[in-house]
Amino acid sequence: NAGVMQNPRHLVRRRGQEARLRCSPMKGHSHVYWYRQLPEEGLKFMVYLQKENIIDESGMPKERFSAEFPKEGPSILRIQQVVRGDSAAYFCASSRRTSGSIDTQYFGPGTRLTVL
Amino acid sequence: KQEVTQIPAALSVPEGENLVLNCSFTDSAIYNLQWFRQDPGKGLTSLLLIQSSQREQTSGRLNASLDKSSGRSTLYIAASQPGDSATYLCAVFRDTGKLIFGQGTTLQVKP
């Protein structure tokens, strides 16, 4: 059973370009979470998605950032018009989230975004 | 607002020592608490998850305790080894499912 997969592992963009980060959850997991780790800072929650639904986006910056988890395919975190401050490691986690319980989140290896 | 604090921020010990990492949280209304390990440039590995109704969990040389009333958790590592060198993160769950992380404790175990 493959773990959470993220690609690309490293992404370099110039200011003003778009960044697309992909996350494939573990098999059987329908809940996806995105976290960001800025240099010298802890991990911060960004968004929580189920298939085709955004459940909690309280940690997402109001502008330039969006996330989706379509019925088919991976979850995508999209950053438009990137700025240097977006340089960070972006982690995706997935869980089975059985009804009535909070399930363990399993993390992917992360995508390290560098904005030049 | 839930805040999670980990002390110390960094720790260096000789191989073989037993050690304790501390985690405190401000809001005791949590569902559970999870300890992770992060190696440099890598993702997170889940070590232990403690449900809010439990007091401790054990896995090999690791033991994690939880005291909700005082807002504290400890991770005990027995007989530390150089391979234990990493950053250890604690995170709490609220009912929304999102994890709130502490800043981490960076551990170095010297051979």
Side-chain angles (χ1 to χ4, degrees):
Chain A
N1 187 7
V4 177
M5 300 179 69
Q6 290 189 247
N7 66 80
R9 295 290 305 276
H10 300 274
L11 182 61
V12 179
R13 286 287 178 265
R14 296 191 181 279
R15 280 180 297 170
Q17 291 184 318
E18 179 179 285
R20 279 184 178 240
L21 288 62
R22 294 175 189 77
C23 169
S24 296
M26 285 179 69
K27 187 177 180 180
H29 288 191
S30 58
H31 299 260
V32 165
Y33 311 79
W34 285 93
Y35 295 85
R36 177 166 67 172
Q37 188 173 37
L38 291 165
E40 306 303 324
E41 293 190 20
L43 278 96
K44 304 289 186 190
F45 167 80
M46 298 182 74
V47 62
Y48 162 34
L49 310 107
Q50 271 184 277
K51 287 283 188 181
E52 301 184 277
N53 287 306
I54 296 175
I55 307 301
D56 182 351
E57 55 181 348
S58 58
M60 286 276 272
K62 293 288 185 281
E63 298 176 349
R64 301 187 298 109
F65 285 72
S66 62
E68 62 176 6
F69 189 16
K71 188 176 181 181
E72 301 291 336
S75 175
I76 307 285
L77 179 67
R78 183 182 176 205
I79 311 172
Q80 295 177 289
Q81 299 175 328
V82 295
V83 300
R84 289 216 173 107
D86 296 332
S87 295
Y90 291 83
F91 291 97
C92 167
S94 73
S95 72
R96 192 183 304 272
R97 197 74 189 277
T98 53
S99 175
S101 70
I102 305 292
D103 203 5
T104 301
Q105 292 183 17
Y106 295 88
F107 279 74
T111 293
R112 278 150 185 84
L113 172 66
T114 301
V115 180
L116 301 177
Chain B
K1 180 188 172 187
Q2 178 71 272
E3 292 185 3
V4 180
T5 304
Q6 290 186 247
I7 294 172
L11 184 61
S12 181
V13 300
E15 182 177 4
E17 270 203 14
N18 302 324
L19 54 99
V20 175
L21 307 181
N22 296 292
C23 173
S24 60
F25 45 94
T26 53
D27 186 347
S28 62
I30 64 170
Y31 272 45
N32 56 39
L33 183 145
Q34 196 165 356
W35 282 93
F36 293 88
R37 168 184 174 141
Q38 185 177 26
D39 292 281
K42 301 287 178 65
L44 278 70
T45 301
S46 179
L47 297 173
L48 291 163
L49 182 148
I50 311 176
Q51 305 277 3
S52 61
S53 57
Q54 297 174 320
R55 286 201 168 263
E56 65 178 327
Q57 280 286 335
T58 298
S59 176
R61 294 182 294 109
L62 305 179
N63 176 277
S65 67
L66 175 63
D67 184 344
K68 273 185 60 177
S69 60
S70 66
R72 295 179 189 276
S73 175
T74 60
L75 178 67
Y76 175 81
I77 303 177
S80 58
Q81 302 171 358
D84 294 331
S85 299
T87 296
Y88 291 81
L89 299 163
C90 88
V92 298
F93 271 119
R94 286 288 314 258
D95 53 359
T96 56
K98 65 187 180 189
L99 286 165
I100 300 171
F101 283 87
Q103 295 284 81
T105 294
T106 299
L107 172 65
Q108 182 183 33
V109 180
K110 297 178 181 176

